[in-house]
Amino acid sequence: MDSIRFGCWVFLSCLLLSTTGYSRNLTSRPAVVNIGALFTFESSIGRVAKIAIQEAVKDVNANSSILRGTKLNVDMRNSNCSGFIGMVEAMRFMETDVVAIIGPQSSVVAHIISHVANQLQVPLLSFAATDPSLNSLQFPFFVQTTPSDLHQMAAVSDVVDYYGWKQVTAIYIDDDYGRNGISALGDKLAERRCRISYKAGIPPDSGVNRTDILDILIKVALMESRVIILHVNPDVGFEVFSVANRLQMMGNGWAWITTSWLSSVLDSASPLPSETMDSIQGVLFLRQHTPDSDRKRGFYSRWRKLTSGSLGLNSYGLYAYDSIWLIAHAIDAFFNQGGIISFSNDSRLRSVKDGGLHLEAMSIFDDGKLLLNNILQSDLVGLTGRIKFDKDRSLILPAYDVNNVFGTGFKRIGYWSNYSGLTVVPPEILYTNPPNRSSANQQLYKVIWPGDTLITPRGWAFANNGKQLRIGVPIRVSFREFVSQARETDTFKGFCIDVFTTAITLLPYPVQYQFIPFGDGENNPSYTELVNKITTGFFDAVVGDIAIVTNRTKILDFTQPYVAARLWIVTGCFFFVVGLVVWILEHRINDEFRGPPKRQIITVIWFSLSTLFFAHRENTMSTLALHQLSSPIKGIESLKESDEPVGYQVGSFAEYYLSEEVGISKSRLVALGSPEEYAKSLQLGPGKGGVAAIVDERPYVELFLAGQCTFRIVGREFTRSGWGFAFPKDSPLAVDMSTAILALSENGDLQRIHDKWLMQNTCSSDTSELEADKLHLRSFWGLFLFCGIACLISLLIYFLQITRLFCRAAPAESASPDQCPSRPGNIRRLLTLMDQKKDRTKNESKRRKLERSFSGKDQDGESLRNPKRKETESTIAATSA
């Protein structure tokens, strides 16, 4: 019977082998497990990785708790910085019984051999290929054991945003690594309302020379952006810096940020030659952050003994070391789950006529998926910190050091993590707190920028490429005092033109521009169409009487409006004074007005500002009506309720505002093209084919009324307005022009330009007619006077009470009746008394007596039983005063 059973077992075994074809089987716990390693031995990364991998293999094999008797063997091969050689070596690995490959180092090689790894089910664990696209579902057997460039570009974007830069120039190596990294950068910048304004690709061939780089950098120097992101390999990177120094692109006003390629060299080869260090002064660069630990410090000490200080340890070496431990733990779990290392020939390769390539030698790792799953489910702590993958097969909690090159070395100015953004605190400390990516929490230490300055570069300069700004200017046929074109010339003049040309002379750099007329010269053009030309790129800016309205601010940036509101400034200051008076009155009796000095200051400011409210940025508009005491038009509401025609200026946004915002039917709206038509339509009135009122922006109305004394403004301004110059979204020129306009306002030039163009005509009638419903500072003199008197009386009573208390307390505090306290001592005691909280013990005693005396009384008694309530009521009254 036993012999029959044995024969059946042999038969079934042979049957199973015949169904799977030729296969090579090993025991579940073999004596040796083979893995491969593929990288460039003589690169700054490879030199460190080779030693790190060797040491990791020694440590794994010396640890009996990992593979438990199975020896880990690593076959390292040199890709020699060549995508072709890397591909050949990877194919040779597939002919051997390797269960995984550490590498490749190059993202280009990774793209090629990942297709092969998918078919033969051999996991690839790369400690240096950071191309974000390698993490896609297209390459399921490719595992990045270092943070992807997707996170590195998020860190770069946060740095750009932190310093307020809106556009950058990207210089990159034009291969899979460079292109996909810069693509990720563009996406991350867009999330922060920033962008790449210019991309410069460098050929990946080793034959790229200094002349090629010179040509590229000359083009970069002609661009507006002065923030350069350099995403290349070390050889090309240092050549770029050398040429940039020659072109004076490493001085004041420039900012350079490199990805982690620079850290791999500085960490492993420092100190670099002085000439090289001089060429990278002020550069910011990123380095993968690895938390400090006893194990890491011990390995650094061991490294110095191994290399005798001739080769530094960079972060890629740490990730290479951890990759060996990761695969070792995964293989151990693989064996624990019953995994067997077996390889089968791919039947598809047998039919391929390989012409001597011996493709049939490549075999499929039968349980490759099981090993891959164990890799992705690993959770261990290595030299680089916690090694665990998320659902997207990326390492959790990616982080980077942000470093600044200066002198003969560099310093760390902060950290970045996807958990907390930019901080000066190590990310691992912040992991215990809730995530906080608010802008107020972002922080870096001071930077020494190119040019040896602490002043943060503005990030852009006006392009010195000979290109002139195309500035659109409306051709007005009415109110030409604002904008007008000289006949048969390209010259423009007017109030708006003078403001622009004067402001642009205040910029710290020259701006070349040309005015481009817009309109047919017969009717006022559509201002909506004019500003939309900026979004299409036809105009670089628009200058003129351009109203700042909500729907325009969504697609454009505007400069500071040309107007200032003195009323609100004075009112705000007055409310602050009132807040200060209330604080003085309440400080001794109200806990909300006590506490640390910082809190009390905030209380005063908040109390003052809480009484103010702010209007949104809309256009100032006014209504005009016939100068008749019996006119039914009193303002925008009465105009809306009537059914009479309403006039508006051709080309302005008033038509849209009246029909869409106010709700007046378009059939009631009458387009008017000139001041003469304004006057005629108002004189005729609605009964004779004219209009009942005209709705327009205040500057046009005031200019019209300056020469027309029979009309007046009725109703109050029902929106607030401003005119500004329009620029593309996030244009830095808009910011600089706003600063220039503010300077014009402060030095009086803006008012002089206004008087030059808009005060030529004066109406002989009483100007109070024109200002009948307009609020000025003098409109509130009575209110200000009343509040001022109330504040003074309250303060006077308060100081009388304090003085009385001081006089009572002074004799009791004197140590000797013959000793006269000094004046400084009296002042200190007075201030101390003012700061003390009022003692209510006596009041409470009086209250209890009153309660006993007036117990059971009516409502009059109720008020006496609650002096605290009366005190609160008096406090509120004082606050209101």
Side-chain angles (χ1 to χ4, degrees):
M1 181 65 68
D2 291 338
S3 62
I4 294 175
R5 289 178 179 175
F6 177 78
C8 291
W9 181 85
V10 171
F11 174 77
L12 289 174
S13 299
C14 294
L15 180 63
L16 288 172
L17 287 173
S18 65
T19 58
T20 58
Y22 169 75
S23 67
R24 302 186 295 275
N25 291 318
L26 301 175
T27 61
S28 59
R29 282 276 180 177
V32 177
V33 175
N34 295 313
I35 63 174
L38 182 64
F39 52 92
T40 302
F41 290 175
E42 296 306 317
S43 66
S44 58
I45 294 175
R47 282 190 292 270
V48 173
K50 185 176 182 180
I51 300 175
I53 290 173
Q54 290 171 342
E55 293 304 305
V57 172
K58 291 179 184 178
D59 293 345
V60 168
N61 288 332
N63 191 328
S64 59
S65 66
I66 302 298
L67 294 177
R68 285 172 283 185
T70 298
K71 180 182 178 182
L72 185 67
N73 181 59
V74 178
D75 181 8
M76 291 189 285
R77 298 187 182 179
N78 188 6
S79 62
N80 200 28
C81 288
S82 169
F84 176 73
I85 294 177
M87 177 186 67
V88 171
E89 292 296 342
M91 299 292 281
R92 290 178 59 195
F93 272 136
M94 302 305 180
E95 296 177 1
T96 63
D97 295 339
V98 296
V99 298
I101 297 175
I102 303 299
Q105 174 184 331
S106 165
S107 295
V108 175
V109 177
H111 274 275
I112 297 172
I113 67 173
S114 289
H115 293 284
V116 180
N118 291 347
Q119 295 300 318
L120 303 183
Q121 299 183 12
V122 176
L124 303 174
L125 289 79
S126 178
F127 57 87
T130 54
D131 178 356
S133 67
L134 290 169
N135 207 29
S136 66
L137 298 176
Q138 182 183 8
F139 307 116
F141 279 84
F142 186 87
V143 180
Q144 289 175 320
T145 59
T146 187
S148 162
D149 277 344
L150 182 68
H151 302 296
Q152 181 165 212
M153 295 310 175
V156 172
S157 300
D158 275 348
V159 172
V160 170
D161 186 50
Y162 175 80
Y163 290 112
W165 302 321
K166 291 301 180 183
Q167 55 185 7
V168 303
T169 293
I171 302 177
Y172 61 98
I173 199 76
D174 196 4
D175 58 11
D176 293 327
Y177 159 74
R179 284 192 302 271
N180 293 328
I182 294 303
S183 177
L185 175 64
D187 293 340
K188 293 301 180 180
L189 286 172
E191 293 174 5
R192 295 154 180 80
R193 290 189 62 186
C194 305
R195 66 187 181 94
I196 301 175
S197 59
Y198 183 71
K199 297 179 182 180
I202 297 177
D205 300 333
S206 58
V208 63
N209 55 46
R210 191 177 180 89
T211 303
D212 297 329
I213 294 176
L214 178 63
D215 293 340
I216 291 171
L217 290 185
I218 288 175
K219 294 178 182 178
V220 169
L222 295 177
M223 299 297 113
E224 287 185 356
S225 174
R226 289 295 181 264
V227 181
I228 313 298
I229 312 299
L230 190 58
H231 185 52
V232 293
N233 57 50
D235 293 338
V236 172
F238 286 112
E239 191 67 27
V240 168
F241 281 126
S242 175
V243 176
N245 271 276
R246 176 184 169 188
L247 295 177
Q248 298 182 344
M249 296 173 65
M250 298 295 296
N252 287 338
W254 290 88
W256 289 76
I257 305 175
T258 79
T259 48
S260 56
W261 65 265
L262 182 55
S263 70
S264 68
V265 179
L266 292 176
D267 286 337
S268 61
S270 290
L272 296 178
S274 59
E275 181 181 354
T276 302
M277 289 302 299
D278 290 344
S279 70
I280 59 174
Q281 291 296 302
V283 172
L284 298 184
F285 68 92
L286 299 183
R287 173 177 58 193
Q288 295 92 336
H289 174 72
T290 55
D292 191 24
S293 65
D294 292 338
R295 187 180 174 192
K296 178 181 169 183
R297 286 192 293 270
F299 189 77
Y300 265 95
S301 176
R302 175 180 165 189
W303 184 273
R304 286 190 290 270
K305 294 178 181 178
L306 285 170
T307 62
S308 301
S310 62
L311 181 65
L313 176 61
N314 57 40
S315 58
Y316 290 102
L318 297 175
Y319 283 106
Y321 180 92
D322 280 354
S323 296
I324 294 294
W325 278 91
L326 173 62
I327 191 62
H329 279 278
I331 291 173
D332 188 53
F334 171 84
F335 288 146
N336 291 337
Q337 295 167 359
I340 298 175
I341 298 178
S342 62
F343 297 86
S344 301
N345 290 117
D346 191 340
S347 58
R348 292 169 296 181
L349 294 178
R350 297 178 184 175
S351 60
V352 177
K353 296 180 180 180
D354 55 15
L357 293 177
H358 303 292
L359 297 178
E360 74 281 355
M362 292 191 299
S363 53
I364 298 174
F365 179 21
D366 295 328
D367 280 341
K369 289 184 178 179
L370 178 60
L371 180 59
L372 175 66
N373 290 335
N374 281 309
I375 293 171
L376 296 176
Q377 292 171 9
S378 297
D379 190 355
L380 62 147
V381 177
L383 297 181
T384 60
R386 189 179 180 188
I387 305 172
K388 182 178 174 60
F389 297 92
D390 59 22
K391 59 183 178 59
D392 296 322
R393 299 186 298 121
S394 297
L395 287 174
I396 63 170
L397 302 176
Y400 290 86
D401 298 336
V402 185
N403 301 287
N404 177 211
V405 179
F406 78 100
T408 58
F410 59 90
K411 65 174 181 177
R412 183 170 51 215
I413 61 169
Y415 307 87
W416 177 93
S417 71
N418 67 339
Y419 189 83
S420 53
L422 297 170
T423 66
V424 294
V425 179
E428 55 271 19
I429 295 178
L430 299 176
Y431 293 152
T432 58
N433 302 327
N436 188 344
R437 294 295 300 270
S438 66
S439 57
N441 246 29
Q442 304 302 290
Q443 185 180 4
L444 292 173
Y445 289 124
K446 291 288 186 180
V447 174
I448 299 178
W449 299 100
D452 196 25
T453 178
L454 291 173
I455 301 174
T456 301
R458 183 171 51 192
W460 81 287
F462 196 79
N464 188 23
N465 55 10
K467 178 186 175 183
Q468 291 184 322
L469 287 181
R470 291 174 53 85
I471 298 179
V473 182
I475 304 177
R476 294 197 58 88
V477 296
S478 62
F479 298 108
R480 292 170 60 84
E481 291 86 350
F482 294 107
V483 180
S484 64
Q485 182 180 18
R487 295 183 180 278
E488 300 181 356
T489 68
D490 294 331
T491 303
F492 286 84
K493 60 182 180 179
F495 169 70
C496 300
I497 300 298
D498 276 9
V499 172
F500 176 81
T501 55
T502 306
I504 209 166
T505 61
L506 299 181
L507 299 182
Y509 46 85
V511 177
Q512 297 177 339
Y513 62 91
Q514 58 176 333
F515 289 137
I516 308 296
F518 181 81
D520 57 13
E522 297 179 1
N523 297 290
N524 289 337
S526 168
Y527 279 46
T528 299
E529 293 181 10
L530 173 60
V531 296
N532 284 342
K533 292 284 187 180
I534 297 177
T535 62
T536 63
F538 185 80
F539 289 139
D540 298 310
V542 168
V543 168
D545 45 340
I546 312 300
I548 304 173
V549 294
T550 303
N551 59 344
R552 292 176 184 171
T553 59
K554 294 177 180 178
I555 59 174
L556 301 169
D557 274 354
F558 286 87
T559 60
Q560 169 77 19
Y562 317 157
V563 293
R566 184 167 60 103
L567 170 63
W568 291 106
I569 296 174
V570 175
T571 304
C573 293
F574 196 84
F575 273 112
F576 180 79
V577 172
V578 172
L580 186 62
V581 170
V582 171
W583 176 82
I584 295 174
L585 299 177
E586 294 288 313
H587 179 64
R588 299 186 68 241
I589 61 176
N590 192 335
D591 288 337
E592 293 185 1
F593 286 81
R594 299 185 64 82
K598 180 179 179 181
R599 177 186 171 189
Q600 297 182 51
I601 293 172
I602 294 175
T603 300
V604 172
I605 296 174
W606 173 248
F607 184 85
S608 304
L609 295 180
S610 63
T611 59
L612 294 172
F613 54 89
F614 302 90
H616 54 77
R617 290 176 63 182
E618 292 287 348
N619 279 344
T620 302
M621 303 182 69
S622 304
T623 53
L624 289 176
L626 291 171
H627 182 60
Q628 295 175 354
L629 295 178
S630 60
S631 172
I633 304 302
K634 303 300 181 184
I636 191 65
E637 289 300 325
S638 60
L639 190 65
K640 177 181 177 181
E641 294 170 359
S642 70
D643 58 357
E644 295 177 335
V646 179
Y648 69 92
Q649 185 181 172
V650 174
S652 74
F653 77 100
E655 179 185 15
Y656 172 85
Y657 184 87
L658 291 172
S659 61
E660 302 297 330
E661 300 292 336
V662 180
I664 297 177
S665 172
K666 288 187 177 182
S667 62
R668 293 176 53 196
L669 302 181
V670 179
L672 303 173
S674 66
E676 292 75 20
E677 291 186 22
Y678 277 28
K680 181 179 179 181
S681 297
L682 289 170
Q683 289 169 351
L684 291 175
K688 298 181 181 180
V691 295
I694 295 174
V695 176
D696 208 347
E697 296 169 72
R698 184 111 196 169
Y700 299 126
V701 172
E702 292 179 343
L703 185 60
F704 170 74
L705 293 180
Q708 297 286 342
C709 301
T710 57
F711 310 108
R712 69 181 178 93
I713 298 173
V714 298
R716 298 198 182 277
E717 297 175 1
F718 46 90
T719 59
R720 293 200 162 44
S721 79
W723 284 354
F725 305 133
F727 291 87
K729 203 69 177 173
D730 298 322
S731 169
L733 187 56
V735 178
D736 289 351
M737 284 294 291
S738 294
T739 304
I741 290 171
L742 287 174
L744 291 181
S745 177
E746 292 171 357
N747 63 24
D749 285 347
L750 190 60
Q751 185 62 44
R752 284 189 285 272
I753 296 172
H754 175 275
D755 295 344
K756 169 186 173 182
W757 289 100
L758 307 181
M759 297 296 289
Q760 295 177 351
N761 300 323
T762 57
C763 186
S764 58
S765 65
D766 188 358
T767 56
S768 62
E769 296 272 1
L770 309 181
E771 306 296 330
D773 295 301
K774 186 176 179 180
L775 296 179
H776 291 277
L777 186 61
R778 61 178 178 270
S779 305
F780 297 93
W781 72 270
L783 178 62
F784 288 147
L785 179 62
F786 176 79
C787 290
I789 293 174
C791 289
L792 289 174
I793 293 175
S794 300
L795 287 175
L796 180 61
I797 295 173
Y798 173 80
F799 282 115
L800 287 175
Q801 292 175 342
I802 289 294
T803 302
R804 181 185 176 191
L805 290 174
F806 177 76
C807 293
R808 289 180 177 179
E813 293 179 0
S814 178
S816 171
D818 298 330
Q819 181 180 2
C820 181
S822 63
R823 180 173 298 178
N826 285 333
I827 295 175
R828 281 196 300 270
R829 282 192 291 273
L830 177 62
L831 294 176
T832 302
L833 181 62
M834 293 175 64
D835 186 57
Q836 286 179 348
K837 186 174 181 179
K838 186 176 181 180
D839 186 5
R840 298 189 179 184
T841 304
K842 296 181 180 179
N843 290 342
E844 291 295 326
S845 177
K846 290 180 180 179
R847 182 180 67 82
R848 286 193 293 270
K849 291 180 180 180
L850 288 172
E851 285 180 347
R852 288 194 296 268
S853 301
F854 293 94
S855 176
K857 295 298 178 74
D858 55 9
Q859 188 174 0
D860 292 336
E862 174 65 21
S863 64
L864 292 172
R865 284 197 304 272
N866 290 280
K868 185 174 182 180
R869 176 180 174 185
K870 285 190 67 64
E871 181 183 358
T872 303
E873 291 173 351
S874 66
T875 300
I876 295 173
T879 302
S880 300

